[in-house]
Amino acid sequence: VQLQASGGGLVRAGGSLRLSCAASGRSLISYSMGWFRQAPGLERELVVATTWNGESTYYLNSVEDRFTISRDNDKNTVYLQMLNLKPEDTAVYYCAADRSREFLYTTANQYDFWGQGTLVTVSS
């Protein structure tokens, strides 16, 4: 599967963005999906993840009341709605697919396919 992330940009603190991850080559129902982010000088961290049917979801503590992951399997796209953005959310955001579609893994090396990343910058 090939993943294409989009939707990043520059936004002021308190603003919102919606990231999209469009898949091609295979249906996303075959995968659990995650959004990771990586800020300069920091390790890549899992922000949110969801199983293939959306029944199980993981959220990083610092985003769980602000970010929402959703997936439209008919459109073969996963979304990350981000509300009330903070400067510390600034990072390159990556979508990733894991073939263990009924499990949620939290480390990057357990994901099999990656999008190219989209930059989110939140100004104070």
Side-chain angles (χ1 to χ4, degrees):
V1 66
Q2 293 79 45
L3 304 175
Q4 180 75 34
S6 61
L10 173 63
V11 63
R12 289 187 176 182
S16 303
L17 283 173
R18 188 177 80 157
L19 306 183
S20 299
C21 177
S24 60
R26 191 166 182 180
S27 172
L28 283 182
I29 64 172
S30 300
Y31 306 98
S32 290
M33 296 298 298
W35 284 96
F36 287 77
R37 68 185 180 187
Q38 188 166 21
L42 299 180
E43 292 187 355
R44 193 170 296 190
E45 65 177 353
L46 179 64
V47 179
V48 298
T50 185
T51 50
W52 72 278
N53 56 6
E55 289 190 354
S56 296
T57 306
Y58 164 89
Y59 285 93
L60 184 67
N61 284 345
S62 61
V63 308
E64 63 181 336
D65 57 346
R66 300 183 294 120
F67 290 12
T68 303
I69 188 170
S70 61
R71 56 191 303 162
D72 186 332
N73 288 332
D74 289 338
K75 294 183 178 179
N76 227 23
T77 302
V78 176
Y79 304 97
L80 179 62
Q81 179 69 55
M82 305 186 292
L83 304 177
N84 190 22
L85 283 160
K86 303 178 180 180
E88 52 264 41
D89 295 319
T90 295
V92 177
Y93 284 71
Y94 300 87
C95 59
D98 170 24
R99 285 176 288 200
S100 304
R101 67 189 197 131
E102 297 183 349
F103 299 96
L104 295 181
Y105 293 108
T106 60
T107 56
N109 62 5
Q110 290 172 311
Y111 284 74
D112 303 296
F113 304 98
W114 291 83
Q116 84 287 4
T118 184
L119 176 62
V120 172
T121 304
V122 185
S123 63
S124 58

